[in-house]
Amino acid sequence: MPPAGTGRAGSGAGTVGTGAGGAAGGAAGAAGGAGSNLAGMGMGGAVAAAGMGGAGGMIAAGFGGIGVGGMGMGGAGGTLPPVTNSTMPDLKVAFTGDMAVRPGQSDEVLKLIKRERAHLVLHAGDLGYGDGPVAFENQLNSVLGDTYPYFYSVGNHDTGNQGWSTYQQNMQKRLDKIPEASCTGDLGVRSTCTYQGLMFILSGVGTVGNTMAHNRYISNELSKSDQLWEICDWHKNHTDMQVGGKSTEVEAATYKACLDGGAIVATAHEHSYGRTFTLTNFRGRPYGKMGPPDMLTLSEGSTFVFHSGIGGSDIRVFRSHGNNSWWATIYTSDRFVMNGMRVNNFSANFGALFITFHVNGNPRSAEGYFKTISNDTIDRFTVTNMKP
């Protein structure tokens, strides 16, 4: 078992520790901000280190110093139990949204997904736009085939006379051909699916149905789930959980339901890409932001949010939200920040986010990157899952 990280005196912020005998330590890093509270730590502490190694994927975590009369004390962390409920090794998932049927754009995103050898696609709404469900399904089948695991939640351009019932029927037909996948509920609206050990909720919150009913469903499904890796997937946003001009159509309480369950929040709707730091609350800015921008932590009380909405329709401009300090990576038509570093010379293009779960033989570890159809990698990060 790797050693725990250590606290740093005085400031109440943990330093990044390293784990000997594992892969990399420092999963959450020196975060510190006052009021952070994760996995039972004291106020002002942050997770310091997670060494990846040891039998059964056990993690030893050192917790950050707690300021007491100007003196910081580094507390040693415990171990997490061996994992029996992770995904299959190296399960790669592609995340996209707001696609449409745009030759040279949307079909190129699908070709990218195929080249990157993703096992599964989660599409957070807005499918075929005015081209409709038949054209959208033909586009999918022409690139990926009709048995490829491709799941979507309903978007505002999919409802009513825009063909949602046909989209839903097409997804069910696809599901019926995939023995490794199973779903329950109102598919794409209030449904829970599993695929190769990954659990994901496809929700219409903010688009169709009652918000409180959606929130209850999300909370109940996450509390019943025994899977290590879980994802909340819906289309619309809270205004501070996107980097464009969208107003709040999904309340903080919905995000909190996923935070409490330790589930990743995957959205779209705004036609750009943004990913947060690790967040530990949704009470207000900066949302309990903690850790390095490229080293994220999941627990029952910490998560991260992204919107991946440049699947082929168009790419929109940046709109500031205060100091934007909870955003690790921002990628719009006119602004590019990668893990806190501004990039001035770039040409925005369509693409998809990819996250590979259960990497390097560690069931608690994941790696993510966003790649464009011009093969530019515009985001890269790791995730450590510390749920019991």
Side-chain angles (χ1 to χ4, degrees):
M1 183 176 68
T6 58
R8 185 171 63 213
S11 67
T15 60
V16 177
T18 56
S36 294
N37 192 325
L38 174 63
M41 292 184 298
M43 297 294 287
V47 174
M52 303 281 195
M58 300 176 72
I59 295 177
F63 290 0
I66 303 172
V68 180
M71 296 294 292
M73 297 182 296
T79 60
L80 293 173
V83 174
T84 58
N85 57 348
S86 187
T87 68
M88 64 176 255
D90 300 311
L91 176 68
K92 181 179 281 193
V93 182
F95 296 89
T96 189
D98 303 280
M99 182 167 280
V101 180
R102 303 278 193 274
Q105 296 176 187
S106 56
D107 59 335
E108 291 301 318
V109 172
L110 294 174
K111 291 173 186 177
L112 169 69
I113 290 169
K114 186 174 183 178
R115 286 197 307 273
E116 295 298 304
R117 298 180 176 272
H119 298 96
L120 166 70
V121 178
L122 294 183
H123 185 140
D126 280 6
L127 307 170
Y129 288 81
D131 295 298
V134 173
F136 180 76
E137 188 70 11
N138 288 340
Q139 177 178 245
L140 291 186
N141 293 342
S142 67
V143 178
L144 299 175
D146 64 356
T147 63
Y148 190 93
Y150 198 107
F151 296 89
Y152 36 84
S153 51
V154 61
N156 55 291
H157 286 286
D158 311 319
T159 59
N161 61 8
Q162 299 174 98
W164 176 247
S165 62
T166 303
Y167 283 120
Q168 196 174 48
Q169 291 166 13
N170 289 341
M171 182 161 48
Q172 183 64 56
K173 290 176 183 177
R174 187 175 292 269
L175 173 63
D176 292 341
K177 299 174 185 177
I178 307 169
E180 301 87 356
S182 64
C183 296
T184 60
D186 186 359
L187 194 58
V189 177
R190 197 173 292 159
S191 56
T192 301
C193 304
T194 57
Y195 179 80
Q196 298 289 10
L198 180 71
M199 180 270 210
F200 50 97
I201 294 171
L202 303 173
S203 175
V205 64
T207 302
V208 295
N210 178 269
T211 292
M212 291 184 64
H214 279 299
N215 293 353
R216 285 194 299 270
Y217 178 83
I218 290 169
S219 294
N220 290 340
E221 292 300 300
L222 289 175
S223 67
K224 291 190 301 183
S225 171
D226 62 358
Q227 297 306 122
L228 182 67
W229 294 100
E230 298 159 328
I231 297 167
C232 294
D233 182 283
W234 62 72
H235 180 61
K236 289 192 173 181
N237 320 106
H238 184 286
T239 188
D240 276 354
M241 294 295 120
Q242 51 86 48
V243 298
K246 297 296 186 186
S247 61
T248 293
E249 296 177 274
V250 177
E251 298 294 335
T254 310
Y255 289 84
K256 185 179 184 299
C258 302
L259 171 98
D260 291 344
I264 298 166
V265 180
T267 70
H269 194 41
E270 178 58 26
H271 296 188
S272 56
Y273 171 73
R275 174 187 57 83
T276 69
F277 285 72
T278 299
L279 305 180
T280 60
N281 70 64
F282 287 100
R283 292 190 296 271
R285 300 172 182 174
Y287 301 99
K289 160 201 163 184
M290 60 167 282
D294 59 345
M295 301 173 73
L296 307 176
T297 302
L298 283 182
S299 74
E300 293 175 345
S302 70
T303 187
F304 65 99
V305 178
F306 63 82
H307 63 94
S308 180
I310 45 177
S313 177
D314 62 359
I315 306 175
R316 294 178 181 161
V317 299
F318 172 73
R319 290 287 183 265
S320 184
H321 298 260
N323 66 7
N324 308 292
S325 63
W326 56 99
W327 289 104
T329 294
I330 295 169
Y331 186 73
T332 70
S333 64
D334 60 348
R335 178 171 295 236
F336 179 18
V337 177
M338 180 175 176
N339 286 318
M341 300 296 292
R342 182 75 179 265
V343 180
N344 292 317
N345 296 317
F346 73 100
S347 179
N349 210 339
F350 303 98
L353 175 66
F354 300 89
I355 302 179
T356 305
F357 300 91
H358 193 159
V359 296
N360 302 319
N362 191 329
R364 293 186 177 276
S365 183
E367 296 177 351
Y369 64 96
F370 191 103
K371 182 174 278 191
T372 71
I373 59 175
S374 47
N375 288 320
D376 295 319
T377 298
I378 59 92
D379 193 19
R380 192 175 292 277
F381 56 92
T382 63
V383 188
T384 298
N385 194 322
M386 300 184 70
K387 292 194 293 184

